Amino acid sequence: MVTMRDVAERANVSIATVSFVLNGTKRVAPETRARIEAAIEELDYKRNVVARALASSHTRILALLHPCREAWPNATGNRFVMSAANGARERGYDFVLWPLNDDEQMSHLLAGGLVDGVLLMEVQLRDPRVDRLIASGLPFALIGRTEDEELPYVDMDFATTIDQAVEHLRSFGHRRMALVTLRMKDPAGNEPGWITRVKSAYLDAMAALGEPATVITVEGSSAGGREAARLLSEDFPEATAVILVNERASAGLIKGSRALGRTVPDDLSVISAATSAELGEMIEPSLTVMAAPAGQLGRLGVNALIDQLEGAQDAPPHVLIPCTLVPGQSVGPAPIRQ
Amino acid sequence: MVTMRDVAERANVSIATVSFVLNGTKRVAPETRARIEAAIEELDYKRNVVARALASSHTRILALLHPCREAWPNATGNRFVMSAANGARERGYDFVLWPLNDDEQMSHLLAGGLVDGVLLMEVQLRDPRVDRLIASGLPFALIGRTEDEELPYVDMDFATTIDQAVEHLRSFGHRRMALVTLRMKDPAGNEPGWITRVKSAYLDAMAALGEPATVITVEGSSAGGREAARLLSEDFPEATAVILVNERASAGLIKGSRALGRTVPDDLSVISAATSAELGEMIEPSLTVMAAPAGQLGRLGVNALIDQLEGAQDAPPHVLIPCTLVPGQSVGPAPIRQ
DNA sequence: CTGAAAGCGCTTACAG
DNA sequence: CTGAAAGCGCTTACAG
């Protein structure tokens, strides 16, 4: 293994000077620098990240924590991760995904000194992981919000997204619209904050319109989607439109409705929010979608984290970004009925 | 920050003894051990992973490298990752996903001393990353095979999978079957090894049956699937069945065929191999699928890697696992025609 | 502009 | 069974 000492010897300098060149932390005479750079080149020296981390107490590694059990989110999640990784890299940080099963593993990671900062996804309103993060003293940024909105976060703007979905459906003449979302609780019985926000945005919108509201929650799967179709026809048969915020149930909802004799969009319009254009494309008829701003969230999240690490004195960022409407063929004029 | 020294002082021992207890590397008297464990508990001491890594030159971290650009694989890839992560954990290793953009980043990782071993996905027949891995001296295991089949790998058994798909279609009376697979090259013009293997397994099977063969390669997207439907009707209109090995084109192929007036499965049977039951469920009609053995591959891959790290003297593992048939509604009797 | 030296928090022969 | 001490490969005041 080539070490800094080897480089120093070859360039006839001390290891301190090599370090200065490598990190740009101090002026070094041009000729000296050239000699050192040549030695580095010739020896193909790479600095030992572990030793550097121990000496400097920084690793320049950022981790995205995510639950190991959960299905990995698909096109949206992927885009999020990639843009976060690229954003990190552009600012000179490594970025890793760290699947975690339990609290024990999380403590291990937080205390181990291996990462400089953490990005947390799928944050819940009262999230014990956030408490742990705070306790650990490690810098972090949240993708999603807790109850305590003082903490730094970037998040989808669910209120605006739902309002726009409602507006879009209204422009097609729909008045009775149901919300279909995800049934999901952690062991402690908490649901992700975004589900809570989606529900209340929907209820607010319906209240403002003076229309009746029905919220259907099903699991995130094809079967869940079919169940939603059934519940919809039982509990809210007057609905002519559905706002769907449950990506994995999308296909099942369409299939299930068809099986119950309601075709999309003739009998029922569907708009799938917080998802991706790719998903819309996969389904027949192509879904009208509100595409999640995954790329932006990834970049903003990682930048917020790095700003913090590098001691930007700004207030912690609170960023909300709405989804973008991508029209498909699943929304049509409201059917006339009595 | 609580260090080993704090623990040692509180327990009235040397830091060496604390280390022995922590690592179980040496006998320690029961009373001493108890004192130390109590101190660890009371101080909530966690060992500094970075310092340990520098001193021992092991981090007990394994990395799964994957290209940062690529779409993240979906249910199959997810299952693979999760089982690898859990497998690693069970043997006392951390497991991270490391998105990489380029060779520079790879060298940085390999030389940095941060990971003990590496799992490489989407291996190509001639894969420069593998050369780099070998040069780095880091232990690794491949998910997929290079040309040089001496290297340790675990992989899907494409030959068996294709044979079983063919057999399944034959049992429905099909004789003319096309292969639709993925068009994908890296910058150097190499295609992933699995694509090459799928093609030759298909060609071999058709040759053995004395049936004509047509291979259609399209990009992995809805549009690609529709293009495949078009190419199929132009280039091989006699085909009554398609073996599809291009997960993301599945939906488009069905949609595109329907648009061209061929319904599935009445006019055309489709079997989607190396994918997941979840995907099959999403599509209308539900796809008959050959589900990838993602969970097994993840576990076996990580175990092969750890065996190597821990110096098992066995020959490097060469494991092949076929997909599993999950019948859906996209395969039906071959239509009678002339 | 450069270097000698302490120190980051551990592990591990070695000695007793 | 336990400890004193060297050493892992860097960074970083401090001195010159």
Side-chain angles (χ1 to χ4, degrees):
Chain A
M1 181 192 233
V2 184
T3 74
M4 209 173 234
R5 169 145 281 109
D6 300 318
V7 173
E9 275 171 14
R10 184 171 192 111
N12 259 305
V13 292
S14 74
I15 59 167
T17 309
V18 176
S19 177
F20 298 148
V21 167
L22 237 30
N23 298 308
T25 36
K26 252 187 185 175
R27 289 213 92 59
V28 172
E31 315 84 72
T32 315
R33 165 187 303 277
R35 249 185 10 256
I36 293 173
E37 281 167 348
I40 289 174
E41 177 80 14
E42 288 158 23
L43 297 172
D44 191 29
Y45 168 72
K46 312 276 178 198
R47 94 151 126 327
N48 181 311
V49 179
V50 173
R52 163 147 116 134
L54 182 58
S56 69
S57 55
H58 296 301
T59 59
R60 298 192 76 85
I61 299 176
L62 271 22
L64 173 70
L65 306 192
H66 67 94
C68 193
R69 285 172 252 286
E70 315 258 317
W72 188 242
N74 52 52
T76 306
N78 179 57
R79 191 162 300 151
F80 173 83
V81 169
M82 295 310 153
S83 59
N86 286 324
R89 212 99 63 185
E90 283 164 21
R91 297 186 64 174
Y93 289 78
D94 281 310
F95 184 87
V96 303
L97 310 198
W98 205 295
L100 290 173
N101 277 318
D102 54 45
D103 288 357
E104 178 57 31
Q105 287 169 15
M106 181 151 173
S107 310
H108 168 70
L109 171 60
L110 296 180
L114 257 165
V115 301
D116 286 354
V118 158
L119 228 46
L120 194 61
M121 289 182 69
E122 290 181 23
V123 170
Q124 310 195 336
L125 284 176
R126 327 188 62 181
D127 199 317
R129 301 174 302 166
V130 174
D131 300 334
R132 247 168 215 280
L133 272 175
I134 294 173
S136 79
L138 259 197
F140 64 92
L142 306 179
I143 314 301
R145 285 162 282 170
T146 58
E147 270 177 345
D148 174 5
E149 303 207 353
E150 294 303 302
L151 300 173
Y153 68 75
V154 302
D155 200 359
M156 270 197 260
D157 184 342
F158 293 101
T160 303
T161 299
I162 294 293
D163 285 351
Q164 290 177 352
V166 168
E167 212 35 66
H168 185 63
L169 291 171
R170 299 242 315 153
S171 75
F172 280 80
H174 294 276
R175 303 186 52 201
R176 302 290 159 93
M177 4 188 151
L179 174 71
V180 172
T181 185
L182 183 62
R183 182 165 60 220
M184 178 177 167
K185 306 237 166 171
D186 69 3
N190 297 313
E191 76 181 4
W194 66 265
I195 296 181
T196 311
R197 292 194 178 85
V198 162
K199 287 178 185 169
S200 57
Y202 163 77
L203 293 173
D204 289 352
M206 292 304 107
L209 294 174
E211 299 287 351
T214 295
V215 174
I216 294 172
T217 63
V218 293
E219 70 173 25
S221 68
S222 240
R226 283 192 295 267
E227 187 192 349
R230 193 174 50 70
L231 290 172
L232 183 68
S233 71
E234 286 170 6
D235 298 349
F236 194 19
E238 323 84 85
T240 62
V242 170
I243 298 170
L244 181 61
V245 193
N246 182 338
E247 175 150 6
R248 291 161 176 273
S250 302
L253 175 64
I254 307 277
K255 282 182 163 191
S257 297
R258 192 178 294 140
L260 293 169
R262 304 188 70 187
T263 65
V264 174
D266 297 344
D267 305 315
L268 186 69
S269 286
V270 175
I271 183 165
S272 180
T275 174
S276 67
E278 287 85 344
L279 175 84
E281 284 269 290
M282 283 195 55
I283 289 173
E284 175 84 27
S286 299
L287 278 183
T288 291
V289 144
M290 306 217 38
Q296 292 175 70
L297 287 176
R299 268 216 140 57
L300 287 168
V302 89
N303 277 327
L305 178 57
I306 297 176
D307 286 346
Q308 234 186 107
L309 288 175
E310 300 185 345
Q313 291 304 318
D314 313 332
H318 298 149
V319 183
L320 290 178
I321 310 175
C323 297
T324 308
L325 181 70
V326 183
Q329 275 138 28
S330 64
V331 172
I336 323 270
R337 31 172 171 153
Q338 210 40 18
Chain B
M1 180 192 233
V2 184
T3 73
M4 209 173 234
R5 168 146 282 106
D6 300 319
V7 174
E9 275 170 14
R10 182 169 192 113
N12 259 304
V13 292
S14 74
I15 59 168
T17 310
V18 176
S19 177
F20 299 147
V21 167
L22 238 28
N23 298 309
T25 37
K26 252 188 185 175
R27 288 214 90 61
V28 172
E31 315 84 69
T32 316
R33 165 187 302 277
R35 254 190 359 262
I36 292 173
E37 281 167 349
I40 289 174
E41 176 80 13
E42 288 158 24
L43 296 171
D44 191 28
Y45 168 73
K46 311 275 177 198
R47 90 151 127 333
N48 181 312
V49 180
V50 172
R52 163 149 117 134
L54 182 59
S56 70
S57 54
H58 295 299
T59 60
R60 298 191 75 84
I61 299 177
L62 270 22
L64 172 70
L65 306 192
H66 67 94
C68 192
R69 285 173 252 287
E70 315 259 317
W72 188 244
N74 51 55
T76 306
N78 179 56
R79 192 161 301 152
F80 173 83
V81 169
M82 294 311 153
S83 59
N86 286 324
R89 212 99 63 183
E90 282 164 21
R91 296 186 65 175
Y93 289 78
D94 281 311
F95 184 87
V96 303
L97 310 197
W98 206 295
L100 290 173
N101 277 319
D102 55 45
D103 287 357
E104 177 58 29
Q105 287 169 16
M106 181 152 172
S107 310
H108 168 69
L109 171 61
L110 296 180
L114 257 164
V115 301
D116 286 354
V118 158
L119 230 46
L120 194 60
M121 289 182 69
E122 291 182 23
V123 170
Q124 310 194 337
L125 283 177
R126 325 188 62 179
D127 199 317
R129 298 173 304 166
V130 173
D131 301 333
R132 248 170 215 279
L133 271 175
I134 294 173
S136 78
L138 258 197
F140 63 91
L142 306 179
I143 313 301
R145 285 163 282 171
T146 57
E147 269 177 345
D148 175 6
E149 302 208 352
E150 293 302 301
L151 300 172
Y153 68 75
V154 302
D155 201 358
M156 269 196 261
D157 184 342
F158 294 101
T160 303
T161 300
I162 295 292
D163 285 349
Q164 289 176 353
V166 168
E167 212 35 64
H168 186 64
L169 291 171
R170 299 241 314 153
S171 74
F172 280 81
H174 295 276
R175 304 188 51 200
R176 302 292 159 91
M177 7 189 149
L179 174 71
V180 172
T181 185
L182 184 62
R183 184 165 60 220
M184 181 177 165
K185 306 237 166 174
D186 69 2
N190 298 312
E191 75 181 5
W194 66 266
I195 297 182
T196 310
R197 293 195 178 85
V198 162
K199 286 178 183 168
S200 57
Y202 164 76
L203 294 173
D204 289 352
M206 292 304 107
L209 294 174
E211 299 286 350
T214 294
V215 174
I216 294 172
T217 62
V218 293
E219 69 173 25
S221 68
S222 240
R226 283 191 296 267
E227 187 192 350
R230 193 174 50 69
L231 291 172
L232 182 68
S233 71
E234 286 170 6
D235 298 348
F236 195 19
E238 323 85 85
T240 62
V242 170
I243 297 170
L244 180 61
V245 193
N246 182 336
E247 174 151 6
R248 291 161 176 273
S250 302
L253 175 64
I254 307 277
K255 282 181 162 193
S257 298
R258 193 178 294 139
L260 293 169
R262 303 188 70 187
T263 64
V264 174
D266 297 344
D267 304 315
L268 186 70
S269 286
V270 175
I271 183 166
S272 180
T275 174
S276 68
E278 287 84 344
L279 176 83
E281 283 270 289
M282 283 195 56
I283 288 174
E284 175 85 26
S286 299
L287 277 183
T288 291
V289 144
M290 304 215 43
Q296 293 174 71
L297 288 176
R299 268 216 141 57
L300 288 168
V302 90
N303 277 327
L305 178 57
I306 296 176
D307 286 346
Q308 233 186 108
L309 287 175
E310 300 185 344
Q313 291 304 319
D314 313 331
H318 298 149
V319 182
L320 290 178
I321 310 175
C323 297
T324 308
L325 181 69
V326 184
Q329 276 138 27
S330 64
V331 173
I336 326 272
R337 30 172 171 155
Q338 210 40 14

